């Protein structure tokens, strides 16, 4: 019996691989037998490898040993992380961990009040005060690394869902080295490719520009993070929309028609420009422009560029959705890099129309941002930022009047450019880059010729408004959220400004019809600025409570309620005063889209609360229903790429799906007849450009005139 047991042990020892580590299991089959798919006896070398003369390939893969983490170890690591988080919060008050993680060592030292190489920290109270330095104080302590790269062994890389205001990672989640955009001037105007207006996030390969907390991407990403069902529902809707092919751009036949007919079209465009657009930024001398056009003798590039840009905007206001393409091609032949080499007032005005209006209409806001930046440099080179220091001696009253008229045109051009640049940058969250500096710029507001000079008075009050917004933008571009006091101070300034606006500019019964567009633009921009203040501040708070949003402080609740209240006023104003004009609807559509984000954000927050605020949610849903009805009424005058109603509808359906007695979309049919649109109107939409692959994966989230 002992001989039999000894023989079995010897056989087992022979069959087991001699190099196998104790306590580790090996695969029963060697790698070569696994590849050949033959039986292996487990020896080393095995019989199959010996047979095929490949003993060197007879290797066994060892299974890695699993290391299970005990409960006590897990609790210990969790406690350490919580302690570290509390210490960082104490050292850097007002900043989230994600914001601290992307800052360089020198930036962290600056926040702590420690000089590079120093060891003496300031008190927490002093450090907290450093987040609210005045612009003059900030200039004395610039950050040495505006785009720091964190050390890989100390800080984690930011994810695409992070929302912060640091210089390294913007709200769209892109790394600075990868940011770029493509807004080619040759692409058709009915194709949406921009990222600023949340219209270009349609493919995974598109990389976006830097955007701050005031951007649309920040609020839509917050909604999706708070209520993932909205993301899923929008993804499902996008699959249906992307199956509907887009319509090709209609041809531009007017260039080949009779010159006399072209002349009539041009006069019509000029009339529509001065009737519907000029009052917003009245920097062109209408009388002089019409006289010069009637003579028809000027062929220089500056004049041709300006007159064609007037044709472009006038054709849009006239109701055409294709005529502007041909005029834009003509304007581009006169407005280019070469035009910057011939600085004069007319070429500057052409740049203002291009970057201040038309490129936004074409969904090219980054290009518009760049063009207005160049226009600002041209204006300074022309001396528009300074008042004349000497008054010449005039030989006659006519000569003095002509000189004063030129001075007023220069003032109107400077302040119109200032307003256009401020309006266009409100939802970008970028620095103002010295748009206005009172220590080096002293241009006076334009002077009204009479109490009935509504356009000049409007430009005066718009400039005052933009001076407030300019400081708001610069504050939003800084690191760290606004304090409650800052929000209240800015809001008080805005309310006080609007209360001082003359009644002729706010009361529809007192202002002339030609001033309608300027009046409504002023009202919606005022309400939008107030809404951005509270919305952006709340987003900072919501981002810091992503783990336990149900514990909103009274301050947070007040910001959200105030934001929804202003949004409700915006929706009511647009629903009441919008006019059936393509240019007016384009503006109203954008601000209505922004206003809808406030109640949608509030509904997403309410989804995370232990108990729903029934009365408030009913008001929010009612406001969204009113907005969708207004979108449906404006639809015939909207561009094919104005997909704002579709985004709002998808989010609205997702947010109200589980509310008892929830509103349905205005169509109520569940078919593609969205909002009561007719099928021929649906056929004109370029659905293939809306909510494509990227919106399905939602690695990033989704018009500013």
């Amino acid at each position: 019996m002992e001989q039999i047991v000894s023989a079995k042990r010897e056989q087992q020892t022979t069959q087991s691989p001699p190099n196998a580590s104790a306590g580790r299991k090996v695969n029963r089959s060697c790698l070569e037998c696994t590849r050949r798919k033959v039986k292996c006896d487990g020896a080393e070398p095995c019989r199959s490898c010996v047979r095929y003369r490949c003993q060197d390939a007879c290797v066994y893969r060892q299974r890695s040993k699993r290391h299970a983490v005990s409960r006590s170890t897990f609790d210990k690591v969790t406690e350490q992380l919580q302690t570290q988080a509390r210490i960082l919060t104490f050292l850097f008050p007002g900043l989230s961990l994600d914001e601290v993680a992307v800052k360089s060592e020198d930036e962290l030292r600056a926040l702590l009040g420690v000089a590079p190489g120093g060891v003496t920290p300031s008190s927490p109270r002093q450090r907290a005060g450093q987040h609210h330095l005045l612009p003059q104080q900030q200039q004395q302590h610039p950050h040495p690394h505006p785009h720091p790269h964190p050390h890989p062994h100390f800080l984690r890389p930011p994810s695409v869902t992070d929302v912060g205001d640091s210089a390294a990672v913007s709200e769209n989640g892109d790394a600075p080295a990868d940011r770029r955009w493509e807004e080619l001037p040759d692409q058709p105007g009915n194709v949406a490719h921009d990222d600023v207006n949340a219209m270009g996030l349609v493919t995974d390969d598109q990389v976006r520009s830097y955007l701050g907390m005031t951007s649309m991407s920040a609020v839509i990403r917050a909604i999706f993070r708070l209520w993932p069902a909205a993301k899923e529902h929008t993804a499902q809707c996008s699959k249906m929309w992307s199956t509907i092919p887009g319509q090709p751009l209609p041809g531009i036949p007017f260039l080949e028609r009779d010159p006399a007919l072209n002349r009539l079209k041009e006069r019509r465009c000029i009339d529509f420009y001065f009737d519907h657009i000029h009052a917003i930024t009245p920097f062109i001398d209408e009388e002089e422009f019409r006289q010069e056009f009637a003579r028809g003798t000027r062929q220089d590039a500056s004049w041709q560029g300006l007159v064609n840009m007037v044709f472009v905007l006038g054709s849009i206001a006239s109701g055409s959705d294709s005529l502007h393409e041909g005029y834009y091609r003509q304007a581009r032949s006169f407005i280019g890099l070469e035009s910057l080499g011939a600085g004069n007032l007319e070429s500057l005005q052409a740049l203002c129309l291009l970057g201040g209006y038309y490129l936004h209409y074409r969904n090219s806001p980054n290009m518009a941002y760049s063009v207005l930046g160049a226009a600002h440099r041209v204006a300074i080179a022309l001396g528009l930022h300074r008042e004349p220091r000497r008054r010449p001696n005039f030989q006659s009253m006519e000569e003095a009047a002509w000189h004063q008229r030129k001075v007023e045109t220069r003032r109107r051009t400077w302040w119109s450019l200032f307003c256009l640049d401020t309006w266009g940058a409100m939802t970008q969250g970028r620095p103002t880059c010295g748009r206005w500096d009172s220590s080096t710029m002293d241009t006076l507001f334009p002077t009204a010729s009479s109490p009935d000079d509504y356009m000049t008075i409007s430009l005066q009050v718009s400039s005052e408004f933009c001076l407030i917004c300019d400081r708001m933008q610069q504050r939003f571009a800084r690191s760290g959220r606004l304090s409650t006091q800052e929000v209240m101070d800015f809001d008080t300034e805005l309310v006080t400004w609007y209360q001082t606006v003359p009644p002729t500019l706010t009361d529809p019964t007192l202002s002339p019809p030609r001033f309608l567009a300027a009046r409504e633009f002023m009202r919606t921009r005022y309400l939008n600025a107030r809404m951005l203040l509270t919305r952006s501040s709340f987003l900072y708070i919501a981002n810091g409570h992503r783990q336990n949003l149900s514990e909103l402080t009274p301050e947070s609740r007040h910001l959200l309620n105030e934001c929804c209240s202003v949004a409700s006023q915006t929706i009511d104003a647009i629903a009441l005063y919008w006019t059936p004009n393509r240019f007016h609807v384009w503006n109203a559509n954008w601000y209505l889209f922004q206003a809808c984000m406030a109640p949608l954000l509030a509904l997403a927050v309410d989804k995370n609360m232990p108990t729903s605020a029934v009365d408030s949610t009913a008001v929010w849903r009612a406001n969204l229903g009113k907005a969708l009805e207004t979108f449906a009424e404006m639809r015939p005058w909207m561009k094919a790429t104005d997909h704002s109603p579709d985004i709002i509808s998808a989010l609205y359906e997702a947010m109200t799906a589980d509310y008892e007695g929830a509103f349905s979309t205005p169509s109520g049919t569940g078919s593609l007849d969205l909002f009561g649109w007719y099928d021929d109107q649906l056929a004109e939409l370029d659905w293939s450009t809306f909510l494509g692959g990227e919106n399905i994966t939602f690695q990033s989230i989704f018009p500013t005139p």
Side-chain angles (χ1 to χ4, degrees):
M1 178 64 69
E2 294 178 357
Q3 294 177 352
I4 296 175
V5 173
S6 176
K8 288 184 177 180
R9 290 177 178 175
E10 182 179 356
Q11 182 181 6
Q12 292 174 355
T13 304
T14 303
Q15 292 180 351
S16 62
N19 297 331
S21 301
R24 291 199 179 186
K25 296 182 180 180
V26 298
N27 291 343
R28 292 185 177 182
S29 179
C30 68
L31 296 179
E32 186 63 14
C33 290
T34 301
R35 186 184 68 82
R36 293 177 180 274
K37 298 182 180 179
V38 297
K39 188 175 181 180
C40 181
D41 60 5
E44 187 174 358
C46 66
R47 292 181 180 179
S48 297
C49 290
V50 172
R51 178 183 177 186
Y52 290 101
R53 299 179 180 179
C54 57
Q55 295 90 328
D56 296 337
C58 186
V59 180
Y60 293 84
R61 183 189 300 113
Q62 292 184 350
R63 299 176 182 176
S64 60
K65 187 177 180 180
R66 297 181 180 180
H67 299 277
V69 179
S70 64
R71 181 68 183 180
S72 60
T73 302
F74 177 81
D75 293 339
K76 182 178 179 180
V77 173
T78 302
E79 183 179 358
Q80 289 177 346
L81 290 175
Q82 292 175 349
T83 302
Q84 293 172 2
R86 286 195 297 268
I87 293 174
L88 289 174
T89 302
F90 175 79
L91 292 176
F92 304 102
L95 294 178
S96 66
L97 294 180
D98 294 336
E99 295 168 347
V100 174
V102 297
K103 295 188 179 299
S104 67
E105 180 180 352
D106 289 338
E107 286 180 315
L108 295 176
R109 288 180 177 274
L111 292 174
L112 290 172
V114 180
V119 295
T120 306
S122 59
S123 67
R125 182 184 300 272
Q126 291 171 332
R127 290 193 296 271
Q130 291 175 0
H131 298 303
H132 308 290
L133 294 176
L134 297 175
Q136 295 83 353
Q137 295 172 308
Q138 284 188 318
Q139 295 173 0
Q140 298 172 3
H141 304 280
H143 293 319
H145 303 291
H147 300 291
H149 298 278
H151 194 281
H153 299 294
F154 175 60
L155 302 174
R156 65 170 181 83
S159 66
V160 295
T161 58
D162 287 343
V163 180
D165 64 333
S166 66
V169 179
S170 63
E171 276 64 24
N172 54 34
D174 300 322
D178 296 331
R179 293 196 196 105
R180 64 180 183 272
W181 62 89
E182 293 184 3
E183 299 172 355
L184 302 178
D186 292 324
Q187 71 184 22
N190 68 333
V191 177
H193 285 301
D194 74 89
D195 61 287
V196 175
N197 302 330
M199 302 298 289
L201 309 183
V202 294
T203 56
D204 287 335
D205 58 351
Q206 181 174 356
V207 185
R208 284 154 297 282
S209 58
Y210 177 86
L211 297 174
M213 188 59 77
T214 58
S215 66
M216 292 301 297
S217 63
V219 63
I220 295 179
R221 184 179 292 104
I223 292 173
F224 281 1
R225 187 174 61 249
L226 291 170
W227 191 244
K231 177 195 302 184
E232 299 170 2
H233 180 72
T234 310
Q236 293 299 322
C237 293
S238 69
K239 296 177 182 179
M240 177 187 66
W241 293 329
S242 61
T243 60
I244 304 177
Q247 292 290 82
L249 184 69
I252 312 295
F254 79 98
L255 295 175
E256 301 178 358
R257 293 185 177 180
D258 182 70
L261 181 59
N262 285 341
R263 193 70 173 176
L264 290 175
K265 284 182 173 289
E266 292 170 354
R267 291 174 58 186
R268 172 181 169 85
C269 291
I270 291 175
D271 291 340
F272 270 92
Y273 172 83
F274 284 105
D275 286 342
H276 297 276
I277 303 175
H278 177 65
I280 304 171
T281 49
F283 54 81
I284 297 179
D285 191 318
E286 180 178 0
E287 180 181 353
E288 183 178 332
F289 182 90
R290 289 184 180 274
Q291 291 175 355
E292 200 66 57
F293 177 78
R295 284 193 290 267
T297 57
R298 290 189 58 178
Q299 299 298 323
D300 56 282
S302 300
W303 167 256
Q304 290 295 326
L306 175 60
V307 74
N308 275 283
M309 284 310 305
V310 170
F311 295 160
V312 166
L313 297 180
S315 65
I316 297 173
S318 70
S320 173
D321 194 27
S322 59
L323 195 60
H324 63 92
E325 294 284 353
Y327 288 131
Y328 178 49
R329 295 192 187 106
Q330 293 181 171
R332 281 174 53 196
S333 63
F334 302 106
I335 306 175
L337 289 177
E338 294 79 6
S339 65
L340 299 179
N344 55 65
L345 203 60
E346 289 161 343
S347 63
L348 173 61
Q349 292 171 343
L351 290 175
C352 291
L353 295 180
L354 176 62
Y357 293 110
Y358 186 62
L359 289 177
H360 287 289
Y361 185 83
R362 290 181 66 89
N363 298 315
S364 301
N366 283 305
M367 188 176 177
Y369 179 76
S370 302
V371 169
L372 286 184
H376 193 261
R377 294 294 183 89
V378 173
I380 292 177
L382 291 174
L384 269 62
H385 65 299
R386 301 298 295 269
E387 281 290 315
R389 290 295 179 264
R390 293 185 302 174
R391 180 178 178 86
N393 296 323
F394 302 108
Q395 302 298 325
S396 63
M397 295 294 295
E398 292 78 7
E399 186 178 353
W402 179 87
H403 174 79
Q404 184 61 29
R405 188 170 181 174
K406 291 298 182 182
V407 170
E408 290 299 325
T409 300
R410 290 168 59 89
R411 291 172 177 170
R412 290 199 302 270
T413 302
W414 170 262
W415 287 108
S416 295
L417 170 60
F418 176 79
C419 291
L420 289 171
D421 195 22
T422 305
W423 294 334
M426 283 299 293
T427 55
Q428 293 175 348
R430 299 169 180 171
T432 60
C433 301
R435 187 185 295 132
W436 174 257
D437 181 2
S438 59
S439 64
T440 60
M441 303 172 181
D442 60 2
T443 303
L444 300 177
F445 288 156
T447 305
S449 59
S450 67
D452 297 332
D453 189 358
Y454 299 109
M455 296 183 187
T456 303
I457 299 174
S458 171
L459 183 56
Q460 290 175 356
V461 296
S462 293
S463 301
E464 294 171 351
F465 167 74
C466 288
L467 286 172
I468 302 174
C469 293
D470 181 75
R471 291 187 287 105
M472 285 174 49
Q473 292 176 24
Q474 188 66 17
R475 177 58 186 90
F476 273 119
R478 289 164 49 192
S479 297
R481 55 163 291 208
L482 276 73
S483 65
T484 305
Q485 188 61 46
E486 287 180 297
V487 174
M488 294 175 58
D489 291 344
F490 276 125
D491 189 68
T492 301
E493 273 195 86
L494 291 171
V495 172
T496 303
W497 165 82
Y498 195 72
Q499 291 174 346
T500 60
V501 175
T504 54
L505 305 184
T506 58
D507 190 343
T509 62
L510 300 178
S511 56
R514 201 180 191 191
F515 187 69
L516 183 145
R519 185 191 70 234
E520 293 310 311
F521 273 41
M522 184 186 303
R523 187 205 310 273
T524 53
R525 282 170 176 146
Y526 155 70
L527 293 173
N528 182 255
R530 293 188 62 200
M531 185 176 64
L532 283 179
L533 266 176
T534 51
R535 189 186 76 188
S536 302
S537 300
F538 179 80
L539 285 179
Y540 280 114
I541 297 174
N543 182 58
H545 291 74
R546 62 176 68 179
Q547 297 298 330
N548 193 4
L549 193 61
S550 60
E551 296 183 0
L552 285 181
T553 63
E555 170 198 354
S556 306
R557 178 61 62 185
H558 172 74
L559 286 173
L560 187 60
N561 292 338
E562 188 67 21
C563 181
C564 291
S565 174
V566 178
S568 177
Q569 297 178 49
T570 306
I571 294 173
D572 290 342
I574 294 176
L576 182 62
Y577 294 113
W578 77 271
T579 55
N581 178 280
R582 188 174 293 276
F583 187 84
H584 297 180
V585 166
W586 164 60
N587 175 81
N589 169 59
W590 166 236
Y591 287 109
L592 185 60
F593 179 56
Q594 287 229 44
C596 289
M597 288 301 153
L600 286 172
L601 177 62
L603 288 173
V605 172
D606 186 72
K607 296 284 188 180
N608 291 265
M609 295 293 110
T611 57
S612 175
V614 179
D615 295 338
S616 298
T617 54
V619 175
W620 299 333
R621 298 199 309 270
N623 287 330
L624 289 170
K626 185 186 302 182
L628 289 172
E629 292 287 357
T630 305
F631 277 128
E633 295 173 2
M634 296 191 301
R635 183 65 239 183
W637 292 272
M638 291 168 60
K639 295 190 304 174
T641 52
D642 284 339
H643 301 307
S644 310
D646 317 309
I647 301 175
I648 299 301
S649 177
L651 295 174
Y652 175 85
E653 291 173 354
M655 292 293 177
T656 59
D658 57 349
Y659 282 112
E660 183 178 357
F663 293 89
S664 60
T665 51
S667 65
T669 61
S671 67
L672 288 179
D673 186 19
L674 299 176
F675 315 126
W677 304 350
Y678 296 106
D679 291 340
D680 58 342
Q681 294 171 339
L682 280 171
E684 297 176 357
L685 295 179
D686 186 10
W687 295 95
S688 62
T689 65
F690 174 58
L691 289 176
E694 176 169 340
N695 295 291
I696 296 176
T697 60
F698 293 99
Q699 294 180 353
S700 299
I701 315 299
F702 296 93
T704 101

